[in-house]
Structure formats: C-alpha cells, structure tokens
Amino acid sequence: MKIAVFPGSFDPITLGHTDIINRALPLFDQLIIAIGINVDKKYMFDVDKRKQMIQAVYQNEPKITVTDYTGLTVDFCHKHHLKFILRGLRNPADFEFEKAIAQTNRKLGGVETVFLLTGPDTSYISSSIVRDIYRNGGDVSSLVPPEVVKMIK
Ligand code: ADP
C-alpha cells in the first residue's frame, strides 16, 4: 500500500494546498495530511481549528486522514512506517529550500519526497497572503476552499 504524508502548517489550508492534494490522490492509496507544530512559530489559527478546516474540506474523501506532529517530518515517517513525503513547488525559492531537506531525508532517512508543481491558477496562493488579507478584513473566498470561508466568518 502506498501511503504519503503531506506535511505543512496549513495556517490555513488554501486552494494551493488542495490543488496539490487533489492531484496527489490518484498516485497514493492513502494520504496523511500532517500539521507540523513548531513551538517557536506563531500561528493565526490553532491546531484544532486548522485540523477541523482540513477535515471539513475532505470529509467525503476516505483516502485522507488528518493529524498533527511535533519534531522532524522524517521521524514522523519512521514512526508510522511511511516512505513518501509529498510537497508542492511554487517557485525557485521553494525548490532551493526543499532540495536540501529532501536529499537529507532520502540519504539519512530512506524517505523519498514526491514534488508536484503548482498549478497555473493557484501558484500565487500562500497561507501568509491569506492571513494578511483576512487580518485586514479582506475577502479570501477566491483563495481558500468554501468550507474554510464558512469556518472563519
Ligand atoms: P510549510 O510551513 O511546511 O511550508 P505550508 O502550509 O506553507 O507549510 O505548505 C505546505 C506545502 O504546501 C508545501 O510543500 C508548499 O510548497 C505547498 N504549497 C503551499 N501553497 C502552494 C501552492 N499555491 N501551490 C503549490 N504548493 C503549495
């Protein structure tokens, strides 16, 4: 059985994330969306809220489970016997950042990272832009799934 983990902050989940998730679904038997908790980082939405948002979007998708974790993603993979990490690439900065991590995870951890290239309609979307707009009272409905729009009203 091919199981991948899609790790991220998902603060909040956006249409950029769902584009990657939806395109990865045919490639794997199961997809674990794992919210990484970094104690030094400040988040806009608490982890339970972020989890509820993702669960609301994928409530009818049996291949998807949602969880959270602390520490290294590669340790999470070992703990759950996972061989594949899913990540999205938006731009050269993403590539440079991801390259070293993916190579390290493969060399030291035996975990392969599968990258999907961002879609042309969603490549500009990031959680940080969504947070900025939301914080300033703007309309984020073209950037996040409708379930999220409802939950943050
Ligand atoms: P992290 O803090 O781990 O980068 P994010 O929630 O920002 O967490 O992103 C999680 C994953 O989703 C990353 O691989 C990121 O590249 C990908 N991603 C986010 N937005 C997009 C987008 N618009 N298109 C493609 N991939 C995206």
Side-chain angles (χ1 to χ4, degrees), residues 120-139:
D121 300 331
T122 50
S123 59
Y124 65 97
I125 301 176
S126 69
S127 295
S128 63
I129 288 179
V130 171
R131 289 196 299 274
D132 261 0
I133 296 172
Y134 180 67
R135 203 179 280 123
N136 290 289
D139 178 10

Side-chain angles (χ1 to χ4, degrees), residues 6-11 14 16-17 20 41 86-90 94 98 118-119 122-127:
F6 187 35
S9 306
F10 305 103
D11 188 30
T14 69
H17 293 125
I20 297 293
K41 224 167 148 179
L86 173 69
R87 294 288 284 177
L89 290 178
R90 281 166 291 191
D94 272 356
E98 299 286 341
T118 185
T122 50
S123 59
Y124 65 97
I125 301 176
S126 69
S127 295

Side-chain angles (χ1 to χ4, degrees), residues 26 34-35 45 51 54 78 87 97 137 145:
I35 302 174
F45 300 101
K51 217 189 271 182
I54 304 171
H78 289 158
R87 294 288 284 177
F97 177 76

